Amino acid sequence: MSRIAVIGSCNVDLTVEADRRPGAGETVMGRRLVISPGGKGANQAVAAARLGADVWMVGCVGDDANGRMMLDTLAREGVHTDYVKVLSGVTTGTAHITLAEGDNSIIVVKGANDRVDEACVDAAWETIRSCDMILLQHEIPLATNGYIVRRAAEERLSVLLNPAPFEEVPAEILEKITYVTPNEHEAALMFPGLSREEILSRPACTVLMTVGADGVLFGGEEGPETVPGFTVPVVDTTGAGDTFNGAFAAAVSEGMAVRDAVRFANAAAALSIGKIGAQGGMPRRAEVEEMLTCRKQES
Ligand code: RIB
């Protein structure tokens, strides 16, 4: 069983389904409100745990009902929560999501996630350093991520950074990361002036560029390779990227080759969009394996 440490955000997602988004100064009626666990960190932790990894979450929640909901959900999913701090005087992170016209738009209020600092990392370090992979995203302070990456590099630990939402990562930090998983837009901001081929063939960290339903591009031994995605009916794409990251981390930590791990993660991400909520559709291992087998037989 692979061991994964996720240092990142815990948010409660408040998702409103509506026919369309309101314009500035306009009010529209929503169809329903769904309150569910989310946050890129917690989502990636749950995705990896459902696929069989032993996962530790390191983060912060507020001393409120949303914080309790996040801790309960993580524990129910089998994610270790010993290093999720409960802070008083600050709210648990929330994401305010509009699901309309076939896509989502999200405003995140960081709350307690902004308090994930070096002390939180130090308290968990003995566990973090025993893991096969460390997963990071951009919903906790950038300085904390930098601290983790430097410490991990000193001990030659594998780190995967999902650079979402986009923030500029210092070159010195980027060079120390094992895998980075930007979407096309984030990749262009992260590596300004470089072509796709140049981004994918950089010698330092392995770039896995997600290109929506088209799949994922990465630099293989003989140049850029594409691993196609799976076409499935869409209910809610929220958390699909997180499912990809959690699944890839779980698979590659088990020793799967990068190409196979990307295909595995593409299947998990495709399955995740069939239900509402970031974690609602995240699959278990057997579902991913069944999809991979069926699609192989189809092709
Ligand atoms: O990636 C999806 C996640 O982004 C949501 O669960 C929401 O919490 C935001 O952080």
Side-chain angles (χ1 to χ4, degrees), residues 5 32 42 72 99 103 112 142 147 150 191 201 237 255:
R32 68 165 167 157
D72 289 348
L99 207 56
D103 213 342
L142 200 58
Y147 176 70
R150 283 194 204 97
F191 306 106
S201 55
T237 58

Side-chain angles (χ1 to χ4, degrees), residues 11 13 38-40 43 95 97 106 108 139 238-239 242 278:
N11 294 333
D13 291 354
K40 293 184 193 305
N43 291 343
I97 304 177
I106 307 181
V108 170
E139 288 184 334
T238 311
D242 299 328

Side-chain angles (χ1 to χ4, degrees), residues 143-163:
T144 307
N145 276 353
Y147 176 70
I148 297 161
V149 171
R150 283 194 204 97
R151 271 194 90 163
E154 280 167 21
E155 301 197 30
R156 297 178 179 278
L157 306 174
S158 293
V159 176
L160 183 156
L161 171 69
N162 172 219

